[in-house]
Amino acid sequence: EIVMTQSPATLSVSPGERATLSCRASQSVSSNLAWYQQKPGQAPRLLIYGASTRATGIPARFSGSGSGTEFTLTISSLQSEDFAVYYCQQYNNWPRDTFGGGTKVEIK
Amino acid sequence: EVQLVQSGAEVKKPGESLKISCKGSGYSFTSYWIGWVRQMPGKGLEWMGIIYPGDSDTRYSPSFQGQVTISADKSISTAYLQWSSLKASDTAMYYCARILSGWYFDYWGQGTLVTVSS
């Protein structure tokens, strides 16, 4: 079973600043990693797949990097609409549990 | 436009049965896997299982095997998640989502809130 660990659990950032979120896999998932954004009361939204490819319509301020066991989601300049919870998901090894526990990005 | 529209919120008693639905439109429903994801109150996302509506091939997360049943009716482009005997611990938001060939979720339904309380 692959365990996905996200850190930090909560990230306090001021609007306009950079946010860096981490996701670590307990064993290699290659580049088979996705990131999702979830705002309160809404369904998750796909941001990144293949560790670094932005999904359709996702602004360029969102970028993903990493491979193997270490991954990063960077939001270059936080906008008010970016305050949300972010989840990583590995899809290298199904059908085991695939999601990380989430990182909440809150206003500082 | 790809859309997944889920059935409305449900309030049930422990021991009751329930079937919730997820209707796809704007794409070939039989050509993509559909997954179900649970989110308990204030918690993260848990993958429950997936179905390929084209042939009803179904796979479950070990955590949910035997606890729920996933099915689909391709004639009406609808996937289902059902329980035969609900428990209070089934109280959660349930999402359906389309799965791309890379096994990640690209489009999500709006969610169905299931509340189980005596």
Side-chain angles (χ1 to χ4, degrees), chain B residues 23-90:
Chain B
K23 183 174 177 61
S25 62
Y27 73 100
S28 175
F29 186 74
T30 54
S31 299
Y32 294 83
W33 290 81
I34 290 280
W36 286 95
V37 175
R38 183 176 78 174
Q39 187 167 41
M40 300 179 77
K43 302 298 184 182
L45 305 172
E46 301 172 272
W47 172 77
M48 301 176 71
I50 58 175
I51 187 165
Y52 189 74
D55 61 6
S56 291
D57 185 6
T58 308
R59 306 179 193 180
Y60 295 91
S61 165
S63 301
F64 292 93
Q65 180 82 47
Q67 307 305 307
V68 296
T69 301
I70 294 171
S71 60
D73 184 340
K74 62 184 179 182
S75 70
I76 55 172
S77 300
T78 301
Y80 301 96
L81 177 66
Q82 69 180 87
W83 295 259
S84 59
S85 181
L86 286 160
K87 302 183 284 287
S89 57
D90 293 317

Side-chain angles (χ1 to χ4, degrees), chain A residues 6 8 13 38 45 68 79:
Chain A
Q6 291 187 243
V13 185
Q38 187 178 33
R45 177 175 70 147
Q79 306 299 302

Side-chain angles (χ1 to χ4, degrees), chain A residues 34 36 38 42-46 49 87 89 91 94-101, chain B residues 39 43-47 50 60-63 95 99 102-106 108-109:
Chain A
Y36 302 87
Q38 187 178 33
Q42 295 186 18
R45 177 175 70 147
L46 176 67
Y49 61 93
Y87 294 95
Q89 179 222 350
Y91 49 92
W94 282 59
R96 295 292 182 176
D97 289 342
T98 65
F99 291 99
Chain B
Q39 187 167 41
K43 302 298 184 182
L45 305 172
E46 301 172 272
W47 172 77
I50 58 175
Y60 295 91
S61 165
S63 301
Y95 294 101
I99 297 171
W103 296 102
Y104 52 89
F105 303 96
D106 66 339
W108 293 67

